mmCIF file of all heavy atoms in Angstrom:
data_model
loop_
_atom_site.group_PDB
_atom_site.id
_atom_site.type_symbol
_atom_site.label_atom_id
_atom_site.label_comp_id
_atom_site.label_asym_id
_atom_site.label_seq_id
_atom_site.Cartn_x
_atom_site.Cartn_y
_atom_site.Cartn_z
ATOM 1 N N ALA A 111 -74.001 3.261 50.832
ATOM 2 C CA ALA A 111 -73.631 3.673 49.460
ATOM 3 C C ALA A 111 -74.873 4.025 48.659
ATOM 4 O O ALA A 111 -74.908 5.027 47.937
ATOM 5 C CB ALA A 111 -72.851 2.549 48.785
ATOM 6 N N LEU A 128 -93.502 5.521 57.068
ATOM 7 C CA LEU A 128 -93.136 5.910 55.710
ATOM 8 C C LEU A 128 -94.182 5.484 54.693
ATOM 9 O O LEU A 128 -94.562 6.254 53.809
ATOM 10 C CB LEU A 128 -91.776 5.331 55.352
ATOM 11 C CG LEU A 128 -91.251 5.689 53.961
ATOM 12 C CD1 LEU A 128 -91.117 7.200 53.810
ATOM 13 C CD2 LEU A 128 -89.914 5.016 53.702
ATOM 14 N N VAL A 169 -87.277 -4.404 66.144
ATOM 15 C CA VAL A 169 -88.692 -4.001 66.194
ATOM 16 C C VAL A 169 -89.189 -3.912 67.631
ATOM 17 O O VAL A 169 -88.643 -4.532 68.548
ATOM 18 C CB VAL A 169 -89.587 -4.943 65.360
ATOM 19 C CG1 VAL A 169 -89.185 -4.903 63.899
ATOM 20 C CG2 VAL A 169 -89.599 -6.349 65.904
ATOM 21 N N THR A 186 -87.986 1.265 79.554
ATOM 22 C CA THR A 186 -88.001 1.286 78.087
ATOM 23 C C THR A 186 -88.714 0.066 77.524
ATOM 24 O O THR A 186 -89.504 0.168 76.583
ATOM 25 C CB THR A 186 -86.553 1.359 77.558
ATOM 26 O OG1 THR A 186 -85.897 2.481 78.160
ATOM 27 C CG2 THR A 186 -86.539 1.514 76.052
ATOM 28 N N ALA A 222 -83.185 11.087 75.040
ATOM 29 C CA ALA A 222 -82.537 12.317 75.511
ATOM 30 C C ALA A 222 -82.391 12.284 77.025
ATOM 31 O O ALA A 222 -81.351 12.662 77.574
ATOM 32 C CB ALA A 222 -83.343 13.526 75.065
ATOM 33 N N LEU A 224 -82.167 9.659 78.912
ATOM 34 C CA LEU A 224 -81.220 8.621 79.309
ATOM 35 C C LEU A 224 -79.785 8.983 78.948
ATOM 36 O O LEU A 224 -78.855 8.279 79.325
ATOM 37 C CB LEU A 224 -81.591 7.283 78.634
ATOM 38 C CG LEU A 224 -82.915 6.654 79.076
ATOM 39 C CD1 LEU A 224 -83.206 5.406 78.229
ATOM 40 C CD2 LEU A 224 -82.891 6.288 80.551
ATOM 41 N N GLY A 225 -79.635 10.047 78.181
ATOM 42 C CA GLY A 225 -78.283 10.383 77.745
ATOM 43 C C GLY A 225 -77.754 9.378 76.737
ATOM 44 O O GLY A 225 -76.570 9.060 76.698
ATOM 45 N N GLU A 227 -76.780 7.518 73.128
ATOM 46 C CA GLU A 227 -75.962 7.897 71.967
ATOM 47 C C GLU A 227 -76.512 7.215 70.737
ATOM 48 O O GLU A 227 -77.011 6.097 70.798
ATOM 49 C CB GLU A 227 -74.533 7.387 72.164
ATOM 50 C CG GLU A 227 -73.642 8.339 72.898
ATOM 51 C CD GLU A 227 -72.203 7.847 72.809
ATOM 52 O OE1 GLU A 227 -71.995 6.626 73.010
ATOM 53 O OE2 GLU A 227 -71.326 8.657 72.537
ATOM 54 N N GLY A 243 -80.611 16.649 71.441
ATOM 55 C CA GLY A 243 -80.282 17.613 70.409
ATOM 56 C C GLY A 243 -80.232 17.025 69.010
ATOM 57 O O GLY A 243 -79.882 17.715 68.051
ATOM 58 N N ALA A 247 -85.977 20.035 64.299
ATOM 59 C CA ALA A 247 -87.350 20.505 64.086
ATOM 60 C C ALA A 247 -88.159 19.241 63.837
ATOM 61 O O ALA A 247 -87.583 18.173 63.629
ATOM 62 C CB ALA A 247 -87.401 21.423 62.876
ATOM 63 N N PRO A 248 -89.482 19.339 63.861
ATOM 64 C CA PRO A 248 -90.239 18.124 63.538
ATOM 65 C C PRO A 248 -89.808 17.571 62.187
ATOM 66 O O PRO A 248 -89.670 18.317 61.219
ATOM 67 C CB PRO A 248 -91.682 18.623 63.488
ATOM 68 C CG PRO A 248 -91.704 19.829 64.359
ATOM 69 C CD PRO A 248 -90.355 20.460 64.216
ATOM 70 N N TYR A 249 -89.541 16.284 62.156
ATOM 71 C CA TYR A 249 -89.141 15.552 60.945
ATOM 72 C C TYR A 249 -87.776 15.973 60.399
ATOM 73 O O TYR A 249 -87.415 15.607 59.293
ATOM 74 C CB TYR A 249 -90.203 15.678 59.835
ATOM 75 C CG TYR A 249 -91.607 15.491 60.355
ATOM 76 C CD1 TYR A 249 -92.511 16.544 60.380
ATOM 77 C CD2 TYR A 249 -92.026 14.260 60.870
ATOM 78 C CE1 TYR A 249 -93.790 16.381 60.894
ATOM 79 C CE2 TYR A 249 -93.302 14.096 61.387
ATOM 80 C CZ TYR A 249 -94.166 15.170 61.393
ATOM 81 O OH TYR A 249 -95.435 15.015 61.919
ATOM 82 N N MET A 250 -87.027 16.706 61.185
ATOM 83 C CA MET A 250 -85.698 17.101 60.729
ATOM 84 C C MET A 250 -84.686 16.756 61.810
ATOM 85 O O MET A 250 -84.772 17.241 62.942
ATOM 86 C CB MET A 250 -85.669 18.610 60.464
ATOM 87 C CG MET A 250 -84.730 18.962 59.351
ATOM 88 S SD MET A 250 -84.403 20.740 59.213
ATOM 89 C CE MET A 250 -86.038 21.413 59.097
ATOM 90 N N ALA A 269 -76.173 2.765 90.126
ATOM 91 C CA ALA A 269 -76.931 2.502 91.341
ATOM 92 C C ALA A 269 -77.630 3.781 91.760
ATOM 93 O O ALA A 269 -77.060 4.869 91.700
ATOM 94 C CB ALA A 269 -75.969 2.045 92.433
ATOM 95 N N TYR A 275 -91.219 7.562 82.645
ATOM 96 C CA TYR A 275 -91.756 7.850 81.304
ATOM 97 C C TYR A 275 -93.253 7.985 81.461
ATOM 98 O O TYR A 275 -93.928 7.018 81.795
ATOM 99 C CB TYR A 275 -91.397 6.695 80.361
ATOM 100 C CG TYR A 275 -92.000 6.778 78.981
ATOM 101 C CD1 TYR A 275 -91.317 7.422 77.942
ATOM 102 C CD2 TYR A 275 -93.236 6.190 78.695
ATOM 103 C CE1 TYR A 275 -91.867 7.489 76.666
ATOM 104 C CE2 TYR A 275 -93.784 6.257 77.425
ATOM 105 C CZ TYR A 275 -93.090 6.898 76.419
ATOM 106 O OH TYR A 275 -93.624 6.959 75.154
ATOM 107 N N SER A 284 -102.553 5.102 72.761
ATOM 108 C CA SER A 284 -102.819 5.852 71.528
ATOM 109 C C SER A 284 -102.287 7.269 71.576
ATOM 110 O O SER A 284 -101.377 7.574 72.304
ATOM 111 C CB SER A 284 -104.298 5.802 71.198
ATOM 112 O OG SER A 284 -104.994 6.686 72.012
ATOM 113 N N ALA A 290 -93.436 13.243 79.153
ATOM 114 C CA ALA A 290 -92.179 13.670 79.767
ATOM 115 C C ALA A 290 -91.391 12.450 80.208
ATOM 116 O O ALA A 290 -91.977 11.426 80.552
ATOM 117 C CB ALA A 290 -92.429 14.587 80.965
ATOM 118 N N VAL A 305 -84.520 15.898 82.894
ATOM 119 C CA VAL A 305 -85.951 15.902 82.603
ATOM 120 C C VAL A 305 -86.132 16.403 81.179
ATOM 121 O O VAL A 305 -85.580 17.443 80.804
ATOM 122 C CB VAL A 305 -86.718 16.842 83.573
ATOM 123 C CG1 VAL A 305 -88.210 16.810 83.263
ATOM 124 C CG2 VAL A 305 -86.455 16.438 85.025
ATOM 125 N N GLY A 310 -93.429 18.289 71.995
ATOM 126 C CA GLY A 310 -93.228 19.639 71.477
ATOM 127 C C GLY A 310 -92.592 19.516 70.107
ATOM 128 O O GLY A 310 -92.488 18.422 69.560
ATOM 129 N N SER A 353 -105.087 22.502 72.802
ATOM 130 C CA SER A 353 -104.471 23.817 72.652
ATOM 131 C C SER A 353 -103.039 23.772 73.169
ATOM 132 O O SER A 353 -102.660 22.878 73.929
ATOM 133 C CB SER A 353 -105.273 24.845 73.452
ATOM 134 O OG SER A 353 -105.139 24.570 74.841
ATOM 135 N N GLY A 374 -88.891 7.018 92.493
ATOM 136 C CA GLY A 374 -89.520 6.009 93.337
ATOM 137 C C GLY A 374 -90.478 6.605 94.351
ATOM 138 O O GLY A 374 -90.705 6.020 95.413
#
Side-chain angles (χ1 to χ4, degrees):
Chain A
L128 181 60
V169 298
T186 306
L224 294 175
E227 272 190 315
Y249 316 112
M250 212 192 306
Y275 174 90
S284 77
V305 181
S353 67

